[in-house]
Amino acid sequence: MRSRAWPVLAFSLLLLSGCASGGPWVEVGGERFRVEIADDDAERARGLMFRDRLEDGTGMLFIHEAEEPQAYWMKNTRIPLDILYFDNARRLVTQQRNVPPCSGGDRCPAYPSDQPARFVLELNAGEAERLKLQDGAELTFGEGIPPVR
């Protein structure tokens, strides 16, 4: 009986380990990041506002309906971020690195994309430099990312 229980236990542990690290993820610069998805107006407007920290290895992926010029700001954002803009082909077109928090309300500056973008990935400040990201880097979508047309 012991020999039959071991494969079941091993399989169960494998499933649990996958669930613990589960959730949507993206990969950029050869590294995987678990992401929260902001794919409607309300989620995109709130973004990472009012957060005191962003866990290592995580970020927020903003999905827009169309590829067009984008601009993000740090209103009510308490943590410095890298804001990475990607086009329809999921190629990095603009990097706004080490963007500081802003408590200035509507006086916070905008950080625009230099080219039209459809996807925006926000990571902790310093990640783009650490990964040595260059324009043209590819963003890979993993499990849990909604289909995009």
Side-chain angles (χ1 to χ4, degrees):
M1 179 144 49
R2 184 173 167 189
S3 63
R4 288 185 188 166
W6 174 245
V8 172
L9 176 61
F11 182 72
S12 298
L13 289 173
L14 182 63
L15 285 176
L16 286 174
S17 68
C19 293
S21 62
W25 58 268
V26 298
E27 188 171 293
V28 65
E31 192 159 321
R32 188 174 288 188
F33 294 88
R34 283 182 295 115
V35 291
E36 295 177 53
I37 307 294
D39 59 358
D40 65 34
D41 289 339
E43 291 169 344
R44 286 190 294 264
R46 181 158 175 90
L48 292 170
M49 287 182 174
F50 307 109
R51 306 245 186 129
D52 292 322
R53 68 185 311 249
L54 183 60
E55 297 294 325
D56 289 341
T58 67
M60 182 169 275
L61 177 66
F62 297 81
I63 301 173
H64 293 272
E65 284 79 26
E67 180 183 81
E68 58 191 4
Q70 305 291 341
Y72 278 52
W73 64 346
M74 298 290 283
K75 179 180 178 179
N76 298 319
T77 303
R78 300 174 179 162
I79 50 178
L81 298 171
D82 288 344
I83 305 172
L84 308 173
Y85 295 90
F86 296 84
D87 63 13
N88 272 334
R90 300 184 202 151
R91 297 285 179 189
L92 184 60
V93 295
T94 302
Q95 302 179 56
Q96 297 285 359
R97 293 183 176 191
N98 299 309
V99 178
C102 185
S103 59
D106 291 341
R107 295 185 315 273
C108 294
Y111 296 89
S113 59
D114 295 332
Q115 297 179 39
R118 177 137 187 227
F119 309 101
V120 180
L121 179 62
E122 290 184 343
L123 301 173
N124 280 312
E127 289 293 325
E129 182 176 347
R130 182 180 68 78
L131 296 170
K132 298 179 179 17
L133 291 182
Q134 296 184 15
D135 288 353
E138 185 177 350
L139 179 67
T140 302
F141 287 176
E143 295 177 12
I145 306 296
V148 179
R149 288 186 225 140

